[in-house]
Amino acid sequence: MPIIRRQGWEIPESRVTPEAAVLGRRTLLAGLAAGPVLGAGSLLGAGAARAGIAAPAMNLPPDPAYPAGRALTTEHAAATYNNYYEFSQDKDLWRAAQKMTIAPWSIRIEGMVAKPRTIGFEDLLAQVKLEERIYRHRCVEAWAMTVPWTGFPMAELVKLADPLPSAKYVVFTTIEQPKSMPGLDSPIFPWPYVEGVTMAEATNPLAFISVGMFGKPLAKQSGAPIRITLPWKYGFKSGKAFVKVAFTDRQPNTFWAQIAPNEYGFWANVNPAVPHPRWSQATERLIGTDDRVPTQIFNGYGPFVASLYAGMKGDMLYR
Ligand SMILES: Nc1nc2c(c(=O)[nH]1)N[C@H]1C(S)=C(S)[C@@H](COP(=O)(O)O)O[C@H]1N2
Ligand SMILES: [Mo]
């Protein structure tokens, strides 16, 4: 990949203090001592197995219907450069994330559904067919990666949940685990992390629920044991480690939209033509190689999802 030279308007990424900068200061998470130094094996996704979750087969062939069009990010790069504000505002939070407990795990299904219930993680896995998809992932901070996810279509989860016809949105809430998540102590964030999509988005074949990455159960820092993966939207829409799936007829007030509605809207579709108020979205830096490549509308997934937004006007971030 050619490295595109930095343009004048592109401020160095070290100064794009992203989603957090809007708060005007960084919370210094004192006391977040680095956890025990873990070997590569435990860093890269052995977490779930170690915690006793029965590991389903995850070394599946990627679905050719979703060609990535660029090289995979290395597993090491993808698992050591993360956003997960419950743990830290720094990218090297993977050590801190190892303190998380991910078993037992259950998910509450509630709101506008035929029958509210709680389903265990293993029970859920037993009811879906896992597949692998290589997806591009684009953070609103203008870095990107290319990752093989193991999981199942979000539409399957919607079907299992059996929503009422009145439901218009699906809302995912991340676990709050104060013992392992020092970020929760910070009162400047509206915890818990909440994200959501419309029913049409949730049932679009591209919308995915991931339980694995690189052929292994998800690493804790990557959202173990179960996360959302919405490759046409900025990464902040893909909430990690969710414990609640709620169906509602009201657009949810999502985590980042509460913090800065003018910067992080509900729709958050990737659009290189609409700059973030503080930086350009025209290009993205690939984690691992640092190549800078052009950003594509809908992150290149327009053929799958553009029709969802056909009636909409405005800047396609659709705030
Ligand atoms: N619960 C939770 N989910 C989250 C976040 C977070 O801070 N907390 N960060 C989001 C952002 S901004 C991005 S870019 C992706 C990053 O996923 P990755 O670390 O697996 O690349 O996770 C998203 N999901
Ligand atoms: Mo992000």
Side-chain angles (χ1 to χ4, degrees):
M1 294 268 189
I3 296 176
I4 295 169
R5 286 190 45 223
R6 210 182 274 290
Q7 305 293 312
W9 43 257
E10 286 178 334
I11 59 174
E13 195 178 347
S14 56
R15 288 176 48 218
V16 180
T17 28
E19 283 130 334
V22 65
L23 302 164
R25 68 192 166 100
R26 286 168 63 83
T27 39
L28 289 173
L29 299 172
L32 175 56
V37 177
L38 296 157
S42 47
L43 159 64
L44 300 174
R50 203 173 50 237
I53 291 177
M58 290 203 183
N59 52 336
L60 306 162
D63 187 332
Y66 308 96
R70 67 188 187 202
L72 287 187
T73 302
T74 65
E75 183 179 359
H76 183 267
T80 55
Y81 191 94
N82 299 97
N83 269 341
Y84 207 157
Y85 278 63
E86 285 86 339
F87 290 103
S88 172
Q89 294 174 43
D90 296 323
K91 298 289 186 265
D92 64 346
L93 53 85
W94 62 268
R95 278 189 201 82
Q98 305 315 310
K99 294 208 178 94
M100 195 179 168
T101 305
I102 56 168
W105 195 272
S106 57
I107 296 162
R108 180 74 191 157
I109 294 172
E110 62 177 42
M112 294 177 163
V113 290
K115 213 202 286 169
R117 66 195 167 116
T118 301
I119 183 166
F121 177 68
E122 292 82 359
D123 292 350
L124 175 61
L125 284 197
Q127 292 175 58
V128 294
K129 187 172 169 289
L130 294 184
E131 55 184 288
E132 183 174 283
R133 301 220 187 145
I134 300 176
Y135 276 168
R136 296 180 295 275
H137 168 86
R138 171 57 156 84
C139 175
V140 73
E141 298 160 4
W143 54 268
M145 45 180 97
T146 314
V147 169
W149 301 102
T150 309
F152 55 94
M154 192 180 278
E156 291 298 311
L157 182 62
V158 170
K159 203 163 79 188
L160 280 170
D162 197 9
L164 302 175
S166 49
K168 293 193 174 77
Y169 299 90
V170 196
V171 185
F172 294 83
T173 304
T174 296
I175 196 169
E176 289 180 277
Q177 202 173 85
K179 276 196 177 143
S180 68
M181 297 174 153
L184 297 180
D185 291 343
S186 172
I188 58 174
F189 291 113
W191 306 112
Y193 200 97
V194 169
E195 260 309 338
V197 289
T198 62
M199 292 294 282
E201 291 175 323
T203 53
N204 183 281
L206 203 60
F208 206 58
I209 301 288
S210 297
V211 297
M213 203 172 129
F214 292 95
K216 297 171 207 165
L218 281 179
K220 291 178 179 177
Q221 66 272 25
S222 303
I226 186 164
R227 69 174 291 174
I228 317 172
T229 306
L230 301 165
W232 74 98
K233 291 180 178 285
Y234 289 116
F236 68 85
K237 291 295 293 183
S238 292
K240 296 176 173 179
F242 64 83
V243 286
K244 192 162 89 180
V245 182
F247 292 79
T248 163
D249 58 1
R250 295 225 194 118
Q251 183 174 302
N253 197 4
T254 50
F255 183 79
W256 286 108
Q258 287 179 64
I259 295 166
N262 59 324
E263 301 199 352
Y264 311 106
F266 173 77
W267 297 99
N269 297 306
V270 174
N271 187 343
V274 179
H276 184 278
R278 290 179 285 127
W279 60 84
S280 166
Q281 296 290 25
T283 65
E284 60 205 53
R285 181 178 65 92
L286 300 182
I287 296 308
T289 64
D290 282 351
D291 283 350
R292 193 161 273 281
V293 300
T295 289
Q296 303 175 70
I297 182 78
F298 295 115
N299 203 19
Y301 294 103
F304 296 95
V305 296
S307 63
L308 290 171
Y309 312 102
M312 289 191 179
K313 290 191 288 240
D315 62 11
M316 290 188 70
L317 248 178
Y318 301 129
R319 294 185 200 98

